Amino acid sequence: EYAKNCILARRLIERGVRVVQLFNGSDPSGGNGITNWDSHSNILKTHAMQAEIMDQPTAALIHDLKRRGLLEDTLVVWCTEFGRMPFLQSNGSGRDHNPDAFTCFLAGAGVKAGHSHGESDEFGFKSVKDRVSVYDFNATILHLMGLDHERLSFYHNGLERRLTNVHGHVVHDVIA
């Protein structure tokens, strides 16, 4: 299903749809409830299943967008809200959430190809070099979409607020 959705996403982009979101919520376990990357047990099996679903179709989508000349104007954002701790949970087969070190990737629409930004410590526990906050990440995405994150505000509880709070800064190192 995810691979079919990648094809659908490309077709929507070809027809001018401005924002397309793909979500992998399939259950490759045959009804055992392994529906995404959020596996706190049996991580080897569950992540292997999710990788099999995601890897080839995602790479094919990016390749297809590039081949058709769509990638230069299409921003691909692959991200999650958490990474995984570098050590096992008490159940011995899963890893808990890690908000301090994880991987996202950007492709197309003015992003430096082949660029890696930031590093974690030797255990993958915390970001230690070129750390990017969620506000910086969002500011960079908005910039690549042609929006000034400092001018994009909304009214909430009597205050003008921004998605990037007052902390967000565009990460220029990732821009071509």
Side-chain angles (χ1 to χ4, degrees), residues 32 47 53 59 88 91-92 176:
N32 292 323
H47 280 198
I53 291 167
L88 292 176
N91 66 16

Side-chain angles (χ1 to χ4, degrees), residues 1 6 17 23 25 32 38 55 66 68 84-85 88 91 94 96 102-103 120 126 133 144 152 157 162 165 176:
E1 291 302 310
C6 285
V17 174
F23 174 77
N32 292 323
D38 192 17
D55 287 355
K66 184 175 182 177
R68 293 168 185 263
R84 290 286 164 191
M85 289 292 184
L88 292 176
N91 66 16
D96 206 353
F102 58 95
T103 301
S120 68
K126 288 207 178 264
S133 73
L144 290 165
L152 184 61
N157 288 340
R162 295 193 326 230
N165 205 338

Side-chain angles (χ1 to χ4, degrees), residues 37-55:
W37 295 91
D38 192 17
S39 40
H40 292 270
S41 62
N42 204 358
I43 199 165
L44 183 61
K45 180 181 178 185
T46 58
H47 280 198
M49 279 192 244
Q50 294 304 326
E52 188 174 333
I53 291 167
M54 298 278 304
D55 287 355

Side-chain angles (χ1 to χ4, degrees), residues 38-176:
D38 192 17
S39 40
H40 292 270
S41 62
N42 204 358
I43 199 165
L44 183 61
K45 180 181 178 185
T46 58
H47 280 198
M49 279 192 244
Q50 294 304 326
E52 188 174 333
I53 291 167
M54 298 278 304
D55 287 355
Q56 189 174 6
T58 301
L61 173 61
I62 293 169
H63 177 74
D64 199 21
L65 291 170
K66 184 175 182 177
R67 186 174 56 87
R68 293 168 185 263
L70 297 168
L71 190 58
E72 60 195 48
D73 295 320
T74 302
L75 177 63
V76 177
V77 180
W78 190 94
C79 64
T80 182
E81 81 279 22
F82 289 108
R84 290 286 164 191
M85 289 292 184
F87 44 82
L88 292 176
Q89 288 178 212
S90 60
N91 66 16
S93 67
R95 295 189 294 161
D96 206 353
H97 297 159
N98 184 1
D100 294 319
F102 58 95
T103 301
C104 299
F105 79 75
L106 302 172
V111 174
K112 278 184 194 172
H115 177 75
S116 180
H117 184 84
E119 293 178 19
S120 68
D121 61 24
E122 63 189 42
F123 299 110
F125 185 63
K126 288 207 178 264
S127 298
V128 294
K129 181 179 176 194
D130 295 329
R131 189 171 189 177
V132 175
S133 73
V134 67
Y135 304 116
D136 298 336
F137 189 65
N138 286 336
T140 304
I141 290 170
L142 291 168
H143 174 79
L144 290 165
M145 293 173 63
L147 299 170
D148 180 353
H149 74 99
E150 292 182 356
R151 295 187 63 203
L152 184 61
S153 63
F154 59 96
Y155 189 74
H156 179 72
N157 288 340
L159 297 172
E160 286 292 320
R161 302 190 181 231
R162 295 193 326 230
L163 291 174
T164 55
N165 205 338
V166 296
H167 308 290
H169 301 283
V170 175
V171 182
H172 290 282
D173 287 348
V174 302
I175 299 172

Side-chain angles (χ1 to χ4, degrees), residues 26-40:
S26 63
D27 185 355
S29 67
N32 292 323
I34 304 165
T35 60
N36 58 44
W37 295 91
D38 192 17
S39 40
H40 292 270

